Structure formats: C-alpha cells, structure tokens
Amino acid sequence: MTNFGYTLMTEQSGPKELVGYAVDAERTGFDFAVSSDHYSPWLVSQGHASHAWTMLGAVAHATERMELMTYVTAPTIRYHPAIVAQKAATLQLLADGRFTLGLGSGENLNEHTVGEGWPAVGVRQDMLEEAVHIIRALHDGGLVTWEGQYFRVDSSRVWDLPEGGVPIAIAVSGEKSVERFAPLADHLVAVEPDADLVSGWDAARSGLPASRKIGQIPISWDPDRDRAVERAHEQFRWFAGGWDVNADLPTTKGFQAATQFVRPEDVASSIACGPDLDALAESFAPYVEAGFTDIALVQVGDEAQQRFLDEAAGPLLEKLRARFS
C-alpha cells in the first residue's frame, strides 16, 4: 500500500504556519510529513526560509502519529556531519521514533551561504559518502575520531541517542549514485518517477532489508483553476529547470533570470492545477507505477494552504487510497 505525505515547504510559509499545517495534516490523515531544508527560497515571490530543524522540533512536539523527515539535508558544507548526527538524534527522541533523516548532496542556493564555495558534483558525492559514515559512527554511540579527506571529528560522542537509531534516506538521481549509496542508506529519495532508478536501487541492495522509495510531487489545488495555474507559475516555475540546473544556481536572482521565459501554460503542463481532485490524484500515477512506496504532495503556495487542508486534502487522500491501494 502506498503511503501519502504532506510537505512542510519552508520556502513558502512561515515557521508558525508550518507547525499549524503539520497538525492539520496529521488530523486530515496524512501518513507522514517531509520538510525542505533551505537557507533561501528559489524565488523572491516565495518569501520564506525558516530553519527546518527548529520547526521540525516544534512539529514533533505538536503531533503524535505522523512520521517526519527532512527532504533533504546536505550534511557537507552548511552543516558539518557531526552536527547533523546530533540534531537528528535529538529530533528522533522528540518524535518518539517517527523521524527519518533524509540526506542529499545539496544545492548551491543554500550551501554557498557559508562562503566555502560550491564543489563539482563528483566532489559533492564524495563528501556525502564520507558524511554518512560519520553520522552512522556517531549514532552507534561510541567516541568518534575521524580524519577523512573532507571532514575531521575530534573525540566526539552523541550523548542523547534514541533506541534503534535514526533511519537514513539518501537522494539519488542516476545509476552511479544508486550503486554508491544504496548499500549505505535505509531508504531511497528521488524527485522523478523513474522505474529504472527503483529497480537499480533494489538490485544494489541485494541481501539487505527492503527499503522505502520516497518521492514528491507538486500540485496546485484551488477552486479557481486559473488562479491555481497563476499561483503555480508565481511560486513554482523554478521547477521547470530540472535538478541538474537547479542544483547549481546560487541565488534567487539566478532563478528569476533562468525562469523568465517560462509561461503559465508550461507550468500547468507539468503540475496538476485546479479543483478537479480526480485529475490531481491521477498525477500521482507515474510514481506509483514506478514503484515508489511513499509519495509526499506539495500544495503550491501559502495562499490556499489552509483551505486546501480544510476542504480538499481529506477527499483527495480518499481518492488516492482508493485509486492506489
């Protein structure tokens, strides 16, 4: 059975609003919630970028059942992996075992903030692999000293550790990253409904426990379809660039320039928009057919977020479960 999640989009809503949305998402029946982890929005029109981990701590306290996840954190430049290990353990304790640590190699938009540059993709993948080993070592509970190619850890221990540790999901995008990270992770994260990626992941994990495959899809619900398309264009036209482009652009100005010729109809061709819940539900089909076990929706924009949760989310979940159970 497919699990359906809700996205706490730190780029489009303030932190207090996000905590409230999380409570309502749990009440509505979502199975899990994922949070982006950005220092900057993609576009000025989005207007937010609160600290994901602080917000998730509040969400863990305010909710009881719904699983939580970072989607995703880069434990390489903006955050040292030892710090990620500590805060993931703390969040797992606050969430009573409901948290999964989603990791990835990051985006220039967020990581350039600390002035350490933006490495080539091969280096970023090397850094991510080393970071995962450090996080795993610290979550094992011992005293860790590490002298690696990219990171040092000096006689460090995470003192407050949850029983059972913290599951790790890693974002991958191609054959090489699948082969590299499938044996290191518990679960897969991907942003495209690629069946070959899923089958390759399972093959690379031969003999290991079954893993979840966690995807994400934007929708723009609104009673007025024209407004839904307009809002998707205002807030999410950066989505059209694809992750190969999005990972390397450093500023909101860069995203503004890169998307200046993207039309509303272009956005509407890739994001389901409007009040038709059947059409919105059907947009999830490629992920289900590709073998994803968990799919988190993004309701685009803050403007209609509360109304979506109050009026549309419950009926949409019913349709999704009826269609894909």
Side-chain angles (χ1 to χ4, degrees):
M1 181 178 294
T2 307
N3 297 312
F4 295 101
Y6 175 80
T7 299
L8 300 165
M9 203 75 178
T10 60
E11 302 80 19
Q12 66 183 21
S13 302
K16 286 188 174 181
E17 288 75 18
L18 290 169
V19 175
Y21 297 153
V23 171
D24 289 339
E26 181 175 73
R27 170 186 51 80
T28 301
F30 283 96
D31 300 303
F32 66 102
V34 304
S35 171
S36 52
D37 186 356
H38 275 212
Y39 201 88
S40 172
W42 289 280
L43 297 168
V44 171
S45 57
Q46 292 177 310
H48 294 276
S50 58
H51 189 248
W53 291 84
T54 307
M55 181 271 295
L56 282 170
V59 169
H61 184 70
T63 58
E64 296 179 355
R65 173 194 54 81
M66 191 167 58
E67 294 185 26
L68 306 175
M69 179 180 176
T70 50
Y71 200 97
V72 293
T73 289
T76 52
I77 299 173
R78 184 166 45 116
Y79 301 133
H80 190 284
I83 304 304
V84 173
Q86 182 192 36
K87 59 190 180 182
T90 298
L91 187 51
Q92 185 70 303
L93 290 168
L94 291 171
D96 293 323
R98 293 180 286 134
F99 176 63
T100 295
L101 174 60
L103 299 176
S105 57
E107 298 169 65
N108 195 4
L109 178 67
N110 308 298
E111 307 310 312
H112 83 275
T113 295
V114 295
E116 295 296 327
W118 182 237
V121 63
V123 174
R124 301 198 306 266
Q125 297 285 302
D126 290 343
M127 295 175 75
L128 177 59
E129 181 176 352
E130 188 173 323
V132 172
H133 286 298
I134 291 170
I135 293 167
R136 292 284 199 196
L138 285 164
H139 284 176
D140 282 343
L143 192 67
V144 174
T145 294
W146 181 278
E147 291 282 350
Q149 185 174 358
Y150 301 102
F151 303 108
R152 296 177 62 195
V153 180
D154 184 10
S155 301
S156 295
R157 172 181 290 148
V158 175
W159 290 91
D160 290 283
L161 281 172
E163 186 176 348
V166 182
I168 292 177
I170 298 181
V172 296
S173 59
E175 183 179 347
K176 289 183 179 179
S177 60
V178 165
E179 292 177 354
R180 184 173 200 172
F181 292 110
L184 299 179
D186 300 296
H187 309 296
L188 171 147
V189 169
V191 294
E192 294 181 354
D194 187 338
D196 291 337
L197 202 69
V198 171
S199 60
W201 178 272
D202 286 338
R205 286 182 56 82
S206 178
L208 295 173
S211 65
R212 297 160 66 184
K213 290 84 178 178
I214 307 160
Q216 186 182 57
I217 183 169
I219 62 170
S220 183
W221 173 87
D222 196 282
D224 182 340
R225 186 178 187 278
D226 289 341
R227 179 56 193 145
V229 172
E230 182 182 18
R231 186 170 60 245
H233 181 256
E234 289 172 354
Q235 299 277 324
F236 248 70
R237 64 184 180 273
W238 60 270
F239 190 72
W243 288 104
D244 288 343
V245 173
N246 294 345
D248 284 327
L249 292 175
T251 62
T252 53
K253 185 177 181 180
F255 277 93
Q256 179 72 26
T259 61
Q260 62 182 313
F261 299 117
V262 177
R263 304 167 301 173
E265 54 265 37
D266 298 327
V267 176
S269 69
S270 60
I271 297 175
C273 298
D276 187 342
L277 297 183
D278 289 314
L280 295 176
E282 190 58 32
S283 70
F284 287 66
Y287 277 94
V288 177
E289 292 165 0
F292 282 76
T293 60
D294 300 73
I295 308 167
L297 67 80
V298 181
Q299 163 64 8
V300 173
D302 187 71
E303 175 188 27
Q305 198 73 219
Q306 189 62 59
R307 189 174 180 186
F308 168 74
L309 288 164
D310 291 342
E311 299 179 16
L316 177 58
L317 280 172
E318 290 179 5
K319 289 183 178 293
L320 286 168
R321 288 174 177 140
R323 170 74 171 79
F324 299 116
S325 61

